[in-house]
Amino acid sequence: MTSILDLRIEHRELEEQAATLLRVVQNLVPDPAAVAMLRWRMAQKLSDHCVREDRVVYEQLVASGDASATAVAWRYRQEHGQLAPDFSRYIGAWPVDRVASEWAAFRAETEAMVMHLNSRIFLEEQVLYAHVERLAQRRAAA
């Protein structure tokens, strides 16, 4: 069974993959093959993570009966539902030939996407996971 710790580990892996992608796009010479491989890995990791997070976090918070946790879960679920499709749109908008021909623009959009991902990870851990941990402590104390 996936735990909050497992989800945090997946966040670190996503952050590491994003940092690697940023290093690749900082090169002056385009490397579309490396970009394609890294984005595919990130898309897979993000998709898998979202499925596990939905099961572990959102379902638990919505079913908790805690009004604050439920409200946060619904809000984050609506926003979270956009991250993977946003990443897919980003990939679709930048096929390999366009990556090579518009390297500077691709770099800028990649940096924005990574900032979006990192921001989302930070908020999930600070807000969403905090509710899961609070509810777990409350159950343990009962």
Side-chain angles (χ1 to χ4, degrees), residues 32 54 62 105 113 142:
D54 194 55
V62 168
M113 179 55 68

Side-chain angles (χ1 to χ4, degrees), residues 2-12 14 49-50 52-54 56-58 60-61 69 72-73 76 80 120-137:
T2 304
S3 68
I4 292 295
L5 178 59
D6 295 326
L7 295 173
R8 289 179 190 274
I9 290 168
E10 290 175 4
H11 279 169
R12 301 297 78 80
L14 281 165
H49 174 76
C50 289
R52 280 190 286 282
E53 193 169 63
D54 194 55
V56 171
V57 176
Y58 296 102
Q60 181 180 345
L61 291 179
V72 166
Y76 272 71
H80 184 68
R120 179 61 192 207
I121 287 171
F122 177 79
L123 290 172
E124 285 178 357
E125 292 190 3
Q126 297 302 308
V127 178
L128 197 62
Y129 293 5
H131 280 282
V132 173
E133 290 165 340
R134 176 181 59 81
L135 293 172
Q137 289 172 353

Side-chain angles (χ1 to χ4, degrees), residues 82-115:
Q82 292 307 305
L83 185 58
D86 286 349
F87 195 78
S88 292
R89 277 190 291 280
Y90 152 78
I91 290 173
W94 290 98
V96 174
D97 58 336
R98 184 172 180 216
V99 167
S101 66
E102 298 179 41
W103 189 244
F106 173 73
R107 176 186 300 147
E109 194 158 333
T110 299
E111 290 169 352
M113 179 55 68
V114 168
M115 284 178 44

Side-chain angles (χ1 to χ4, degrees), residues 12-62:
R12 301 297 78 80
E13 292 168 354
L14 281 165
E15 289 170 334
E16 184 178 315
Q17 289 175 336
T20 301
L21 180 59
L22 285 179
R23 283 192 297 277
V24 168
V25 301
Q26 291 305 313
N27 292 325
L28 296 177
V29 177
D31 190 349
V35 164
M37 179 193 64
L38 290 166
R39 291 190 311 176
W40 182 85
R41 286 183 184 163
M42 285 182 70
Q44 284 298 117
K45 174 62 82 177
L46 183 59
S47 176
D48 293 346
H49 174 76
C50 289
V51 168
R52 280 190 286 282
E53 193 169 63
D54 194 55
R55 221 178 28 247
V56 171
V57 176
Y58 296 102
E59 289 178 11
Q60 181 180 345
L61 291 179
V62 168

